[in-house]
Amino acid sequence: WKVRPLVTISSIPHPQFENDIDHGDLPTLASLCIDALSFKRDERSALPFIGGETAALARLTSYFVTSHAVDHYATDRNGLVGADKSSKFSCWLSQGSLSPRYVYWRLCDLTAAEAIRPTNEYSHNFFVFELLWRDYFRYVSVHFKNHVFKIGGPRQLL
């Protein structure tokens, strides 16, 4: 795989804002006419979603390090019932709380630290393949827009 290295936070320039701009406050749920108490978690959920980077990193640690579920990814990935039957990273990836590059490099760190056993290599490679496949289809969707959902797909545009 050819994956660019992670960018360090200190190497990213901070945006410069003009001092006289009032950025305002974030709207509250109430100001958007949303009743926060009306949101109830579904007890049937295998992994209730909590947003944000902190929760995403906790899930990554749980999936990679605590449960070692990534070692069985190739055989378990389609079993949707259960917290560790798939990575369940998609909600954090789609919102930008996790980046595919970060996930890839954390998996590389894990395999290097464990002196990967041959039984895990296939599952780890399969996991990376699916992570790359996910990004590929995001770019396909950006390029072909809603044509990916039409009968015949984007083929009609080629």
Side-chain angles (χ1 to χ4, degrees), residues 23-34:
H23 298 286
D25 295 323
L26 287 175
T28 63
L29 290 176
S31 71
L32 298 172
C33 300
I34 298 172

Side-chain angles (χ1 to χ4, degrees), residues 8-152:
T8 58
I9 297 298
S10 61
S11 68
I12 300 173
H14 292 286
Q16 299 298 316
F17 296 110
E18 301 203 17
N19 292 333
D20 60 344
I21 297 176
D22 179 17
H23 298 286
D25 295 323
L26 287 175
T28 63
L29 290 176
S31 71
L32 298 172
C33 300
I34 298 172
D35 179 12
L37 298 177
S38 68
F39 289 101
K40 293 185 174 52
R41 289 201 177 131
D42 191 328
E43 297 301 322
R44 298 171 297 173
S45 175
L47 185 75
F49 174 68
I50 299 171
E53 184 183 30
T54 302
L57 295 175
R59 174 61 188 160
L60 187 126
T61 300
S62 171
Y63 190 74
F64 281 179
V65 179
T66 308
S67 71
H68 294 280
V70 70
D71 292 348
H72 311 287
Y73 181 79
T75 55
D76 292 350
R77 70 188 179 89
N78 289 329
L80 300 178
V81 178
D84 289 332
K85 291 299 182 183
S86 67
S87 73
K88 310 241 186 319
F89 292 159
S90 62
C91 49
W92 292 291
L93 287 165
S94 67
Q95 297 301 314
S97 298
L98 274 181
S99 73
R101 191 185 315 179
Y102 183 85
V103 173
Y104 170 80
W105 285 111
R106 292 297 68 86
L107 182 61
C108 289
D109 291 346
L110 172 70
T111 56
E114 289 188 347
I116 186 170
R117 300 178 303 276
T119 55
N120 295 345
E121 188 172 9
Y122 177 73
S123 276
H124 290 200
N125 285 339
F126 202 92
F127 181 85
V128 171
F129 173 77
E130 298 257 322
L131 197 61
L132 295 171
W133 200 237
R134 180 192 171 280
D135 259 13
Y136 168 75
F137 275 104
R138 281 188 65 108
Y139 288 118
V140 166
S141 296
V142 167
H143 181 74
F144 291 110
K145 299 181 180 29
N146 65 342
H147 290 283
V148 297
F149 301 105
K150 294 182 178 177
I151 294 175

